[in-house]
Amino acid sequence: MNSRERKDARYLRRKRLRELKTIERSNKYGNIEEIFCFHKVMYYADKCCNGVRYKKSTQNFQLHMFTNIANTCRNIKNGTYVVGKTYKFKINERGKIRNIDAPHITDRLVHKVISNEILLPIYTPHMIYDNGASTKGKGFGFAIKRVKSKLKKWNRKYGLNGYVVLIDFSKFFENCSHDVIHSIHKRYIYNDRLIKIIEDYLFIGKGIALGVEIAQKEACIIPNRLDHFLQSKGYMIERYMDDTFFICGDYDEAVKVLNDYYLICDSLHIKVNKKKTKIVPIRKYFKYCKWKYNINENGNVILIPCKDTIYRQRRKIRRMIKLCIAYINQGDSFKYIEYLRKI
């Protein structure tokens, strides 16, 4: 056996070991009988009520909580569950019109159980460490800290010679392919019955719906192949949902990597927003996740929040102050406290 054959044999052993671990995780976290048991669902039923206890539907759910949980567990196990309709509405977020599909609290309970007890432990080992969205202990602050640390690490090795590549997806949730998601489920979940339950709650219309908790976990795993592609090249990468950042040493190399990146995006049916996708010299200011970054010659990273965020928070604080003064003048401070709890 020559060196090439030994190398291929080692690769096949590692590949087989990874497959066995995937099957083991699927069997452990994909057991419907163990996951949809009363005490586990009861824990997430109380979580669903946090922040919305003032709503009539939530109060009705709490009034008959034990019965609702028992019915949900029985229907899921028997395969007689019926996915409820969602409340469709639009919001204007910084000038962008977004279509929201808000599920009823009984469906939201199933979403929370599936997300935290099934998808999160199955998907997390396959994702890179720097994928910080919708993961406990990480989040938006984690992504900002990681970008800052990567800039410092690059500066210690190469100084200010390099380029930052910023990639943004176009209408990510709306363009998510059902076929791609189904292939991911088949790869990581070895339970057809469980896959059907997840997809019945997930596939509401075109793409995946904003407002559904399961969709957040699926949105993290869909570009996973892209993350591993960049990491296998040895680049310093950070991704937060549909925003990706990595550092490259040469401009021509960055252009070549982007072209290969676009080909993988096409195979995953992901549309890249080429207007927002940029290659910026590392010595200049660049914007990522609503923050501006710059690194100086001493290796210090400067972070500046975007002006739009500052102005929006100022307007919000001014409105809150006006409401506070109005309620205090009317002698109804309790009503203002209830308003603060709602927002």
Side-chain angles (χ1 to χ4, degrees), residues 302-323:
I302 302 169
L303 276 75
I304 303 174
C306 292
K307 290 184 179 180
D308 294 342
T309 305
I310 298 172
Y311 296 155
R312 187 167 58 254
Q313 290 298 325
R314 282 178 182 172
R315 288 194 295 268
K316 184 178 179 180
I317 291 170
R318 288 194 190 104
R319 286 197 298 268
M320 292 175 69
I321 291 172
K322 288 180 181 179
L323 283 170

Side-chain angles (χ1 to χ4, degrees), residues 33-65:
E33 300 294 331
E34 292 183 4
I35 290 165
F36 285 92
C37 58
F38 190 88
H39 70 277
K40 281 188 178 180
V41 180
M42 180 70 187
Y43 172 77
Y44 290 105
D46 186 63
K47 292 279 187 183
C48 284
C49 299
N50 290 341
V52 288
R53 296 184 191 273
Y54 61 92
K55 290 184 177 181
K56 184 179 179 181
S57 59
T58 306
Q59 293 169 3
N60 290 335
F61 177 78
Q62 287 181 299
L63 190 63
H64 306 285
M65 184 177 283

Side-chain angles (χ1 to χ4, degrees), residues 116-167:
N116 294 281
E117 293 292 328
I118 300 172
L119 298 182
L120 188 63
I122 288 177
Y123 285 167
T124 301
H126 298 283
M127 295 190 294
I128 64 171
Y129 178 74
D130 290 296
N131 186 349
S134 300
T135 305
K136 188 176 181 181
K138 295 183 181 180
F140 187 75
F142 170 83
I144 293 172
K145 289 179 182 178
R146 292 294 292 174
V147 172
K148 185 177 178 180
S149 66
K150 289 177 189 303
L151 288 172
K152 287 185 175 181
K153 186 177 180 179
W154 180 272
N155 181 262
R156 287 195 297 269
K157 285 186 174 182
Y158 309 106
L160 296 178
N161 300 316
Y163 292 86
V164 172
V165 183
L166 306 168
I167 305 171

